[in-house]
Amino acid sequence: MRLSEGQRLVRMQYVSKEVSEALASQITKGFGIDVNIIFGDIDIVADTPVEGIVAIFDDEPVRIDAALNYLRQRNIAAEVLKEG
């Protein structure tokens, strides 16, 4: 996958009982970052949904870093897979 400059491919994983809002919408509204979800899945572990999303974050590095820190503070694993 080819990313443009300023884009990051991010994988987020979380237990859905801890996250009630739509992540992409929350990041877009809270940080003004364009988020393009390219993959999502749900696994059931011990009767608890564990969700994962892979998305492209597109904005200035400082804003993306702030959004990633916000996610991590909410116990959402956020890993940058690739940078443009």
Side-chain angles (χ1 to χ4, degrees):
M1 168 176 285
R2 185 173 224 136
L3 299 175
S4 299
E5 187 172 333
Q7 292 182 327
R8 293 189 200 175
L9 184 65
V10 178
R11 177 177 36 211
M12 297 169 277
Q13 290 186 299
Y14 53 93
V15 176
S16 67
K17 288 181 180 176
E18 296 177 9
V19 179
S20 59
E21 306 95 317
L23 284 179
S25 175
Q26 193 172 16
I27 293 166
T28 298
K29 289 178 183 177
F31 297 91
I33 295 172
D34 289 332
V35 178
N36 182 14
I37 297 173
I38 57 173
F39 177 79
D41 69 344
I42 299 173
D43 290 317
I44 305 298
V45 178
D47 295 325
T48 302
V50 178
E51 299 183 42
I53 296 172
V54 177
I56 297 172
F57 285 27
D58 189 2
D59 209 304
E60 297 175 11
V62 172
R63 292 171 86 168
I64 294 174
D65 289 340
L68 293 173
N69 287 333
Y70 169 78
L71 292 169
R72 291 173 182 138
Q73 289 172 354
R74 296 195 61 216
N75 295 320
I76 298 168
E79 175 186 5
V80 177
L81 302 175
K82 189 173 180 180
E83 294 189 39

